[in-house]
Amino acid sequence: VSQSRYVTDGNSPAGNITESQAADLETLIADVGANKELFLKFMKIKQIEDMPVSQYERAVKSLEAKRKNTVTK
């Protein structure tokens, strides 16, 4: 999965991520084998849909970093 799929276009309204972005994060969490509960705590949210748009790119980068770390082990 290309990371560019997860980059926002900057036109999203302020607030929480879209349903599509939430679904993409759910998929990415599963793909990289991340612990969803720990990820939610790390992002300081109760559920993926609560994520502010401003944190979306950080979330994707964190998960992609986990993928890279898992591959190199």
Side-chain angles (χ1 to χ4, degrees), residues 1-69:
V1 176
S2 165
Q3 185 173 350
S4 63
R5 172 179 172 198
Y6 302 103
V7 175
T8 62
D9 63 5
N11 294 324
S12 300
N16 293 345
I17 60 174
T18 65
E19 287 181 27
S20 176
Q21 289 171 319
D24 286 346
L25 282 176
E26 293 278 3
T27 300
L28 190 54
I29 288 167
D31 286 353
V32 303
N35 178 313
K36 184 177 175 180
E37 287 188 33
L38 290 176
F39 178 75
L40 294 174
K41 285 182 183 180
F42 171 72
M43 296 304 297
K44 299 178 181 168
I45 54 176
K46 293 186 186 232
Q47 58 186 14
I48 295 295
E49 295 80 7
D50 294 339
M51 184 177 295
V53 170
S54 62
Q55 294 299 308
Y56 181 75
E57 207 166 322
R58 174 178 168 240
V60 171
K61 287 179 181 179
S62 297
L63 290 166
E64 289 293 348
K66 178 168 179 52
R67 181 193 315 263
K68 290 177 186 170
N69 288 339

